[in-house]
mmCIF file of all heavy atoms in Angstrom:
data_model
loop_
_atom_site.group_PDB
_atom_site.id
_atom_site.type_symbol
_atom_site.label_atom_id
_atom_site.label_comp_id
_atom_site.label_asym_id
_atom_site.label_seq_id
_atom_site.Cartn_x
_atom_site.Cartn_y
_atom_site.Cartn_z
ATOM 1 N N GLN R 236 -16.146 42.718 -2.797
ATOM 2 C CA GLN R 236 -17.506 42.978 -3.385
ATOM 3 C C GLN R 236 -17.921 41.797 -4.213
ATOM 4 O O GLN R 236 -17.266 41.424 -5.129
ATOM 5 C CB GLN R 236 -17.367 44.244 -4.253
ATOM 6 C CG GLN R 236 -18.652 44.544 -5.025
ATOM 7 C CD GLN R 236 -18.498 45.799 -5.864
ATOM 8 O OE1 GLN R 236 -18.317 46.911 -5.359
ATOM 9 N NE2 GLN R 236 -18.601 45.659 -7.224
ATOM 10 N N ILE R 237 -19.079 41.184 -3.803
ATOM 11 C CA ILE R 237 -19.455 39.934 -4.480
ATOM 12 C C ILE R 237 -20.817 39.982 -5.165
ATOM 13 O O ILE R 237 -21.376 39.004 -5.518
ATOM 14 C CB ILE R 237 -19.436 38.726 -3.460
ATOM 15 C CG1 ILE R 237 -20.165 39.112 -2.159
ATOM 16 C CG2 ILE R 237 -17.990 38.351 -3.149
ATOM 17 C CD1 ILE R 237 -20.260 37.980 -1.185
ATOM 18 N N GLY R 238 -21.305 41.211 -5.327
ATOM 19 C CA GLY R 238 -22.560 41.361 -6.023
ATOM 20 C C GLY R 238 -22.974 42.830 -6.084
ATOM 21 O O GLY R 238 -22.718 43.558 -5.085
ATOM 22 N N THR R 239 -23.529 43.279 -7.218
ATOM 23 C CA THR R 239 -23.985 44.676 -7.233
ATOM 24 C C THR R 239 -25.296 44.741 -7.946
ATOM 25 O O THR R 239 -25.568 43.882 -8.823
ATOM 26 C CB THR R 239 -22.986 45.610 -7.988
ATOM 27 O OG1 THR R 239 -22.637 44.963 -9.222
ATOM 28 C CG2 THR R 239 -21.728 45.846 -7.151
ATOM 29 N N ALA R 240 -26.136 45.761 -7.612
ATOM 30 C CA ALA R 240 -27.352 45.990 -8.296
ATOM 31 C C ALA R 240 -27.483 47.465 -8.550
ATOM 32 O O ALA R 240 -27.258 48.249 -7.660
ATOM 33 C CB ALA R 240 -28.553 45.452 -7.496
ATOM 34 N N HIS R 241 -27.840 47.824 -9.832
ATOM 35 C CA HIS R 241 -27.811 49.225 -10.209
ATOM 36 C C HIS R 241 -29.171 49.652 -10.670
ATOM 37 O O HIS R 241 -29.811 48.972 -11.513
ATOM 38 C CB HIS R 241 -26.822 49.480 -11.326
ATOM 39 C CG HIS R 241 -25.500 48.767 -11.126
ATOM 40 N ND1 HIS R 241 -24.588 49.152 -10.158
ATOM 41 C CD2 HIS R 241 -24.972 47.693 -11.702
ATOM 42 C CE1 HIS R 241 -23.569 48.327 -10.182
ATOM 43 N NE2 HIS R 241 -23.747 47.407 -11.170
ATOM 44 N N HIS R 242 -29.627 50.804 -10.141
ATOM 45 C CA HIS R 242 -30.811 51.453 -10.742
ATOM 46 C C HIS R 242 -30.382 52.386 -11.792
ATOM 47 O O HIS R 242 -29.632 53.307 -11.572
ATOM 48 C CB HIS R 242 -31.533 52.191 -9.592
ATOM 49 C CG HIS R 242 -32.947 52.592 -9.965
ATOM 50 N ND1 HIS R 242 -33.232 53.271 -11.127
ATOM 51 C CD2 HIS R 242 -34.087 52.416 -9.271
ATOM 52 C CE1 HIS R 242 -34.557 53.496 -11.171
ATOM 53 N NE2 HIS R 242 -35.140 52.948 -10.097
ATOM 54 N N LEU R 243 -30.813 52.110 -13.035
ATOM 55 C CA LEU R 243 -30.368 52.936 -14.156
ATOM 56 C C LEU R 243 -31.320 54.053 -14.484
ATOM 57 O O LEU R 243 -31.028 54.849 -15.384
ATOM 58 C CB LEU R 243 -30.154 52.007 -15.402
ATOM 59 C CG LEU R 243 -29.183 50.825 -15.238
ATOM 60 C CD1 LEU R 243 -29.178 50.002 -16.527
ATOM 61 C CD2 LEU R 243 -27.846 51.301 -14.809
ATOM 62 N N ALA R 244 -32.454 54.121 -13.740
ATOM 63 C CA ALA R 244 -33.490 55.116 -14.051
ATOM 64 C C ALA R 244 -33.803 55.044 -15.604
ATOM 65 O O ALA R 244 -33.807 54.000 -16.159
ATOM 66 C CB ALA R 244 -33.051 56.502 -13.648
ATOM 67 N N ASP R 245 -34.015 56.244 -16.243
ATOM 68 C CA ASP R 245 -34.322 56.168 -17.655
ATOM 69 C C ASP R 245 -33.090 56.641 -18.506
ATOM 70 O O ASP R 245 -33.325 56.999 -19.667
ATOM 71 C CB ASP R 245 -35.573 56.999 -17.975
ATOM 72 C CG ASP R 245 -35.437 58.476 -17.544
ATOM 73 O OD1 ASP R 245 -34.345 58.807 -17.004
ATOM 74 O OD2 ASP R 245 -36.369 59.260 -17.664
ATOM 75 N N LYS R 246 -31.939 56.603 -17.893
ATOM 76 C CA LYS R 246 -30.762 57.105 -18.551
ATOM 77 C C LYS R 246 -30.365 56.372 -19.794
ATOM 78 O O LYS R 246 -30.234 56.940 -20.879
ATOM 79 C CB LYS R 246 -29.603 57.146 -17.552
ATOM 80 C CG LYS R 246 -28.484 57.998 -18.009
ATOM 81 C CD LYS R 246 -27.708 58.504 -16.811
ATOM 82 C CE LYS R 246 -26.804 59.544 -17.280
ATOM 83 N NZ LYS R 246 -25.717 59.741 -16.345
ATOM 84 N N PHE R 247 -30.262 55.076 -19.629
ATOM 85 C CA PHE R 247 -29.901 54.292 -20.797
ATOM 86 C C PHE R 247 -31.109 54.191 -21.774
ATOM 87 O O PHE R 247 -30.911 54.081 -22.971
ATOM 88 C CB PHE R 247 -29.500 52.830 -20.358
ATOM 89 C CG PHE R 247 -28.101 52.809 -19.813
ATOM 90 C CD1 PHE R 247 -27.837 53.059 -18.467
ATOM 91 C CD2 PHE R 247 -27.012 52.473 -20.633
ATOM 92 C CE1 PHE R 247 -26.561 52.994 -17.996
ATOM 93 C CE2 PHE R 247 -25.726 52.432 -20.152
ATOM 94 C CZ PHE R 247 -25.505 52.711 -18.799
ATOM 95 N N ALA R 248 -32.309 54.209 -21.216
ATOM 96 C CA ALA R 248 -33.503 54.183 -22.067
ATOM 97 C C ALA R 248 -33.514 55.437 -22.968
ATOM 98 O O ALA R 248 -33.836 55.318 -24.178
ATOM 99 C CB ALA R 248 -34.756 54.139 -21.229
ATOM 100 N N LYS R 249 -33.106 56.508 -22.474
ATOM 101 C CA LYS R 249 -33.041 57.758 -23.316
ATOM 102 C C LYS R 249 -31.948 57.620 -24.382
ATOM 103 O O LYS R 249 -32.101 57.951 -25.528
ATOM 104 C CB LYS R 249 -32.792 58.987 -22.459
ATOM 105 C CG LYS R 249 -34.080 59.449 -21.738
ATOM 106 C CD LYS R 249 -33.826 60.619 -20.842
ATOM 107 C CE LYS R 249 -35.147 61.161 -20.316
ATOM 108 N NZ LYS R 249 -34.971 61.970 -19.077
ATOM 109 N N THR R 250 -30.788 57.051 -23.937
ATOM 110 C CA THR R 250 -29.688 56.883 -24.892
ATOM 111 C C THR R 250 -30.058 55.883 -26.007
ATOM 112 O O THR R 250 -29.709 56.068 -27.155
ATOM 113 C CB THR R 250 -28.469 56.396 -24.157
ATOM 114 O OG1 THR R 250 -28.184 57.294 -23.077
ATOM 115 C CG2 THR R 250 -27.253 56.293 -25.053
ATOM 116 N N PHE R 251 -30.673 54.777 -25.575
ATOM 117 C CA PHE R 251 -30.945 53.699 -26.572
ATOM 118 C C PHE R 251 -32.410 53.753 -27.074
ATOM 119 O O PHE R 251 -32.812 52.795 -27.723
ATOM 120 C CB PHE R 251 -30.585 52.366 -25.938
ATOM 121 C CG PHE R 251 -29.097 52.174 -25.809
ATOM 122 C CD1 PHE R 251 -28.454 52.534 -24.609
ATOM 123 C CD2 PHE R 251 -28.359 51.698 -26.871
ATOM 124 C CE1 PHE R 251 -27.078 52.381 -24.494
ATOM 125 C CE2 PHE R 251 -27.001 51.518 -26.721
ATOM 126 C CZ PHE R 251 -26.370 51.870 -25.565
ATOM 127 N N GLU R 252 -33.136 54.766 -26.732
ATOM 128 C CA GLU R 252 -34.506 54.964 -27.215
ATOM 129 C C GLU R 252 -35.395 53.784 -26.845
ATOM 130 O O GLU R 252 -36.065 53.197 -27.711
ATOM 131 C CB GLU R 252 -34.540 55.267 -28.675
ATOM 132 C CG GLU R 252 -33.834 56.550 -29.045
ATOM 133 C CD GLU R 252 -33.535 56.628 -30.560
ATOM 134 O OE1 GLU R 252 -34.447 56.272 -31.351
ATOM 135 O OE2 GLU R 252 -32.417 57.021 -30.901
ATOM 136 N N ILE R 253 -35.334 53.348 -25.617
ATOM 137 C CA ILE R 253 -36.197 52.285 -25.152
ATOM 138 C C ILE R 253 -37.476 52.919 -24.607
ATOM 139 O O ILE R 253 -37.521 53.405 -23.470
ATOM 140 C CB ILE R 253 -35.532 51.377 -24.118
ATOM 141 C CG1 ILE R 253 -34.227 50.839 -24.696
ATOM 142 C CG2 ILE R 253 -36.451 50.249 -23.649
ATOM 143 C CD1 ILE R 253 -33.357 50.186 -23.621
ATOM 144 N N THR R 254 -38.519 52.894 -25.422
ATOM 145 C CA THR R 254 -39.811 53.553 -25.040
ATOM 146 C C THR R 254 -40.873 52.536 -25.143
ATOM 147 O O THR R 254 -40.758 51.485 -25.847
ATOM 148 C CB THR R 254 -40.135 54.747 -25.914
ATOM 149 O OG1 THR R 254 -40.292 54.266 -27.262
ATOM 150 C CG2 THR R 254 -39.056 55.808 -25.914
ATOM 151 N N TYR R 255 -41.995 52.844 -24.434
ATOM 152 C CA TYR R 255 -43.139 51.936 -24.560
ATOM 153 C C TYR R 255 -44.429 52.803 -24.557
ATOM 154 O O TYR R 255 -44.408 53.997 -24.177
ATOM 155 C CB TYR R 255 -43.118 50.969 -23.393
ATOM 156 C CG TYR R 255 -43.426 51.593 -22.062
ATOM 157 C CD1 TYR R 255 -44.749 51.584 -21.549
ATOM 158 C CD2 TYR R 255 -42.443 52.208 -21.290
ATOM 159 C CE1 TYR R 255 -45.025 52.222 -20.322
ATOM 160 C CE2 TYR R 255 -42.697 52.739 -20.059
ATOM 161 C CZ TYR R 255 -43.958 52.760 -19.547
ATOM 162 O OH TYR R 255 -44.275 53.331 -18.345
ATOM 163 N N GLU R 256 -45.486 52.172 -24.935
ATOM 164 C CA GLU R 256 -46.786 52.877 -24.971
ATOM 165 C C GLU R 256 -47.483 52.610 -23.628
ATOM 166 O O GLU R 256 -47.688 51.472 -23.235
ATOM 167 C CB GLU R 256 -47.660 52.290 -26.094
ATOM 168 C CG GLU R 256 -48.877 53.148 -26.367
ATOM 169 C CD GLU R 256 -49.673 52.616 -27.485
ATOM 170 O OE1 GLU R 256 -49.314 52.874 -28.670
ATOM 171 O OE2 GLU R 256 -50.668 51.898 -27.205
ATOM 172 N N ASP R 257 -47.687 53.704 -22.864
ATOM 173 C CA ASP R 257 -48.330 53.532 -21.577
ATOM 174 C C ASP R 257 -49.818 53.314 -21.678
ATOM 175 O O ASP R 257 -50.351 53.289 -22.784
ATOM 176 C CB ASP R 257 -47.916 54.666 -20.577
ATOM 177 C CG ASP R 257 -48.528 55.954 -20.976
ATOM 178 O OD1 ASP R 257 -49.422 55.999 -21.889
ATOM 179 O OD2 ASP R 257 -48.231 56.961 -20.353
ATOM 180 N N VAL R 258 -50.487 53.205 -20.542
ATOM 181 C CA VAL R 258 -51.932 52.901 -20.573
ATOM 182 C C VAL R 258 -52.732 53.975 -21.309
ATOM 183 O O VAL R 258 -53.832 53.755 -21.827
ATOM 184 C CB VAL R 258 -52.491 52.687 -19.138
ATOM 185 C CG1 VAL R 258 -52.223 51.276 -18.694
ATOM 186 C CG2 VAL R 258 -51.979 53.718 -18.177
ATOM 187 N N ASP R 259 -52.200 55.248 -21.318
ATOM 188 C CA ASP R 259 -52.921 56.323 -22.024
ATOM 189 C C ASP R 259 -52.562 56.400 -23.515
ATOM 190 O O ASP R 259 -52.913 57.402 -24.178
ATOM 191 C CB ASP R 259 -52.615 57.634 -21.347
ATOM 192 C CG ASP R 259 -52.965 57.595 -19.851
ATOM 193 O OD1 ASP R 259 -54.000 56.965 -19.515
ATOM 194 O OD2 ASP R 259 -52.167 58.154 -19.008
ATOM 195 N N GLY R 260 -51.702 55.454 -23.984
ATOM 196 C CA GLY R 260 -51.300 55.496 -25.401
ATOM 197 C C GLY R 260 -50.153 56.430 -25.638
ATOM 198 O O GLY R 260 -49.801 56.687 -26.839
ATOM 199 N N GLU R 261 -49.522 56.986 -24.618
ATOM 200 C CA GLU R 261 -48.377 57.852 -24.811
ATOM 201 C C GLU R 261 -47.038 57.030 -24.891
ATOM 202 O O GLU R 261 -46.918 56.009 -24.231
ATOM 203 C CB GLU R 261 -48.185 58.776 -23.578
ATOM 204 C CG GLU R 261 -49.383 59.708 -23.316
ATOM 205 C CD GLU R 261 -49.315 60.974 -24.136
ATOM 206 O OE1 GLU R 261 -48.218 61.394 -24.406
ATOM 207 O OE2 GLU R 261 -50.381 61.490 -24.523
ATOM 208 N N GLN R 262 -46.128 57.488 -25.701
ATOM 209 C CA GLN R 262 -44.793 56.889 -25.725
ATOM 210 C C GLN R 262 -43.939 57.511 -24.607
ATOM 211 O O GLN R 262 -43.719 58.656 -24.589
ATOM 212 C CB GLN R 262 -44.116 57.194 -27.105
ATOM 213 C CG GLN R 262 -44.655 56.348 -28.228
ATOM 214 C CD GLN R 262 -44.381 54.839 -28.077
ATOM 215 O OE1 GLN R 262 -43.277 54.468 -27.690
ATOM 216 N NE2 GLN R 262 -45.360 54.015 -28.372
ATOM 217 N N VAL R 263 -43.506 56.640 -23.670
ATOM 218 C CA VAL R 263 -42.659 57.117 -22.577
ATOM 219 C C VAL R 263 -41.404 56.249 -22.417
ATOM 220 O O VAL R 263 -41.393 55.113 -22.872
ATOM 221 C CB VAL R 263 -43.417 57.135 -21.205
ATOM 222 C CG1 VAL R 263 -44.537 58.197 -21.202
ATOM 223 C CG2 VAL R 263 -44.029 55.769 -20.883
ATOM 224 N N TYR R 264 -40.420 56.792 -21.736
ATOM 225 C CA TYR R 264 -39.161 56.078 -21.563
ATOM 226 C C TYR R 264 -39.332 55.025 -20.437
ATOM 227 O O TYR R 264 -39.956 55.303 -19.405
ATOM 228 C CB TYR R 264 -38.030 57.051 -21.211
ATOM 229 C CG TYR R 264 -37.534 57.810 -22.380
ATOM 230 C CD1 TYR R 264 -37.745 59.208 -22.414
ATOM 231 C CD2 TYR R 264 -36.886 57.213 -23.418
ATOM 232 C CE1 TYR R 264 -37.353 59.958 -23.487
ATOM 233 C CE2 TYR R 264 -36.483 57.965 -24.542
ATOM 234 C CZ TYR R 264 -36.693 59.334 -24.564
ATOM 235 O OH TYR R 264 -36.299 60.083 -25.629
ATOM 236 N N ALA R 265 -38.706 53.858 -20.674
ATOM 237 C CA ALA R 265 -38.731 52.813 -19.685
ATOM 238 C C ALA R 265 -37.693 53.142 -18.625
ATOM 239 O O ALA R 265 -36.821 53.965 -18.797
ATOM 240 C CB ALA R 265 -38.453 51.462 -20.368
ATOM 241 N N HIS R 266 -37.799 52.402 -17.494
ATOM 242 C CA HIS R 266 -36.762 52.495 -16.448
ATOM 243 C C HIS R 266 -36.089 51.150 -16.361
ATOM 244 O O HIS R 266 -36.743 50.120 -16.556
ATOM 245 C CB HIS R 266 -37.375 52.935 -15.119
ATOM 246 C CG HIS R 266 -37.635 54.417 -15.071
ATOM 247 N ND1 HIS R 266 -38.636 55.002 -15.806
ATOM 248 C CD2 HIS R 266 -36.995 55.404 -14.398
ATOM 249 C CE1 HIS R 266 -38.625 56.329 -15.627
ATOM 250 N NE2 HIS R 266 -37.661 56.580 -14.733
ATOM 251 N N GLN R 267 -34.800 51.099 -16.030
ATOM 252 C CA GLN R 267 -34.053 49.861 -16.108
ATOM 253 C C GLN R 267 -33.196 49.622 -14.880
ATOM 254 O O GLN R 267 -32.839 50.515 -14.110
ATOM 255 C CB GLN R 267 -33.130 49.873 -17.298
ATOM 256 C CG GLN R 267 -33.912 49.857 -18.580
ATOM 257 C CD GLN R 267 -32.942 50.011 -19.773
ATOM 258 O OE1 GLN R 267 -32.646 51.158 -20.224
ATOM 259 N NE2 GLN R 267 -32.451 48.901 -20.294
ATOM 260 N N THR R 268 -32.873 48.334 -14.682
ATOM 261 C CA THR R 268 -31.898 47.970 -13.694
ATOM 262 C C THR R 268 -30.940 46.934 -14.290
ATOM 263 O O THR R 268 -31.247 46.328 -15.288
ATOM 264 C CB THR R 268 -32.556 47.275 -12.472
ATOM 265 O OG1 THR R 268 -32.808 45.899 -12.770
ATOM 266 C CG2 THR R 268 -33.853 47.926 -12.037
ATOM 267 N N CYS R 269 -29.795 46.766 -13.671
ATOM 268 C CA CYS R 269 -28.927 45.655 -14.015
ATOM 269 C C CYS R 269 -28.253 45.200 -12.765
ATOM 270 O O CYS R 269 -28.054 46.020 -11.875
ATOM 271 C CB CYS R 269 -28.006 45.977 -15.144
ATOM 272 S SG CYS R 269 -26.893 47.338 -14.804
ATOM 273 N N TYR R 270 -27.932 43.943 -12.682
ATOM 274 C CA TYR R 270 -27.279 43.417 -11.501
ATOM 275 C C TYR R 270 -26.425 42.222 -11.802
ATOM 276 O O TYR R 270 -26.752 41.405 -12.716
ATOM 277 C CB TYR R 270 -28.238 43.145 -10.335
ATOM 278 C CG TYR R 270 -29.602 42.619 -10.728
ATOM 279 C CD1 TYR R 270 -29.881 41.281 -10.649
ATOM 280 C CD2 TYR R 270 -30.598 43.465 -11.115
ATOM 281 C CE1 TYR R 270 -31.145 40.750 -10.960
ATOM 282 C CE2 TYR R 270 -31.882 42.990 -11.475
ATOM 283 C CZ TYR R 270 -32.112 41.650 -11.404
ATOM 284 O OH TYR R 270 -33.385 41.180 -11.752
ATOM 285 N N GLY R 271 -25.302 42.126 -11.131
ATOM 286 C CA GLY R 271 -24.317 41.114 -11.509
ATOM 287 C C GLY R 271 -23.628 40.424 -10.344
ATOM 288 O O GLY R 271 -23.526 40.962 -9.256
ATOM 289 N N ILE R 272 -23.180 39.224 -10.676
ATOM 290 C CA ILE R 272 -22.403 38.360 -9.778
ATOM 291 C C ILE R 272 -21.346 37.691 -10.650
ATOM 292 O O ILE R 272 -21.637 37.378 -11.819
ATOM 293 C CB ILE R 272 -23.346 37.350 -9.105
ATOM 294 C CG1 ILE R 272 -23.816 37.846 -7.730
ATOM 295 C CG2 ILE R 272 -22.671 35.999 -8.974
ATOM 296 C CD1 ILE R 272 -24.607 36.857 -6.934
ATOM 297 N N SER R 273 -20.166 37.477 -10.124
ATOM 298 C CA SER R 273 -19.136 36.831 -10.912
ATOM 299 C C SER R 273 -18.500 35.679 -10.161
ATOM 300 O O SER R 273 -18.983 35.285 -9.050
ATOM 301 C CB SER R 273 -18.057 37.846 -11.229
ATOM 302 O OG SER R 273 -17.273 38.087 -10.034
ATOM 303 N N GLU R 274 -17.366 35.156 -10.696
ATOM 304 C CA GLU R 274 -16.722 34.024 -10.015
ATOM 305 C C GLU R 274 -16.088 34.455 -8.634
ATOM 306 O O GLU R 274 -15.508 33.645 -7.971
ATOM 307 C CB GLU R 274 -15.677 33.359 -10.897
ATOM 308 C CG GLU R 274 -14.604 34.226 -11.443
ATOM 309 C CD GLU R 274 -14.912 34.574 -12.936
ATOM 310 O OE1 GLU R 274 -15.997 35.129 -13.218
ATOM 311 O OE2 GLU R 274 -14.026 34.257 -13.754
ATOM 312 N N ARG R 275 -16.225 35.716 -8.316
ATOM 313 C CA ARG R 275 -15.862 36.114 -6.983
ATOM 314 C C ARG R 275 -16.687 35.357 -5.978
ATOM 315 O O ARG R 275 -16.283 35.171 -4.837
ATOM 316 C CB ARG R 275 -16.036 37.620 -6.757
ATOM 317 C CG ARG R 275 -14.927 38.431 -7.373
ATOM 318 C CD ARG R 275 -15.114 39.902 -7.079
ATOM 319 N NE ARG R 275 -13.865 40.661 -7.329
ATOM 320 C CZ ARG R 275 -13.643 41.846 -6.854
ATOM 321 N NH1 ARG R 275 -14.539 42.456 -6.079
ATOM 322 N NH2 ARG R 275 -12.519 42.461 -7.159
ATOM 323 N N SER R 276 -17.851 34.910 -6.333
ATOM 324 C CA SER R 276 -18.727 34.069 -5.481
ATOM 325 C C SER R 276 -18.002 32.771 -5.097
ATOM 326 O O SER R 276 -18.065 32.312 -4.004
ATOM 327 C CB SER R 276 -20.081 33.818 -6.088
ATOM 328 O OG SER R 276 -19.909 33.209 -7.310
ATOM 329 N N VAL R 277 -17.259 32.251 -6.092
ATOM 330 C CA VAL R 277 -16.448 31.042 -5.847
ATOM 331 C C VAL R 277 -15.324 31.371 -4.879
ATOM 332 O O VAL R 277 -15.035 30.627 -3.924
ATOM 333 C CB VAL R 277 -15.956 30.434 -7.182
ATOM 334 C CG1 VAL R 277 -15.157 29.156 -6.927
ATOM 335 C CG2 VAL R 277 -17.109 30.174 -8.124
ATOM 336 N N ALA R 278 -14.663 32.510 -5.172
ATOM 337 C CA ALA R 278 -13.526 32.888 -4.255
ATOM 338 C C ALA R 278 -14.005 33.055 -2.834
ATOM 339 O O ALA R 278 -13.327 32.696 -1.898
ATOM 340 C CB ALA R 278 -12.941 34.237 -4.758
#
Side-chain angles (χ1 to χ4, degrees):
Q236 174 179 296
I237 48 175
T239 48
H241 317 290
H242 195 308
L243 303 178
D245 58 1
K246 197 152 190 201
F247 283 86
K249 283 178 172 160
T250 305
F251 288 92
E252 296 165 45
I253 303 168
T254 61
Y255 70 95
E256 191 178 279
D257 70 7
V258 278
D259 304 320
E261 299 276 327
Q262 285 293 319
V263 291
Y264 287 111
H266 282 71
Q267 291 176 271
T268 82
C269 59
Y270 35 100
I272 265 186
S273 73
E274 56 256 61
R275 281 186 165 197
S276 56
V277 181

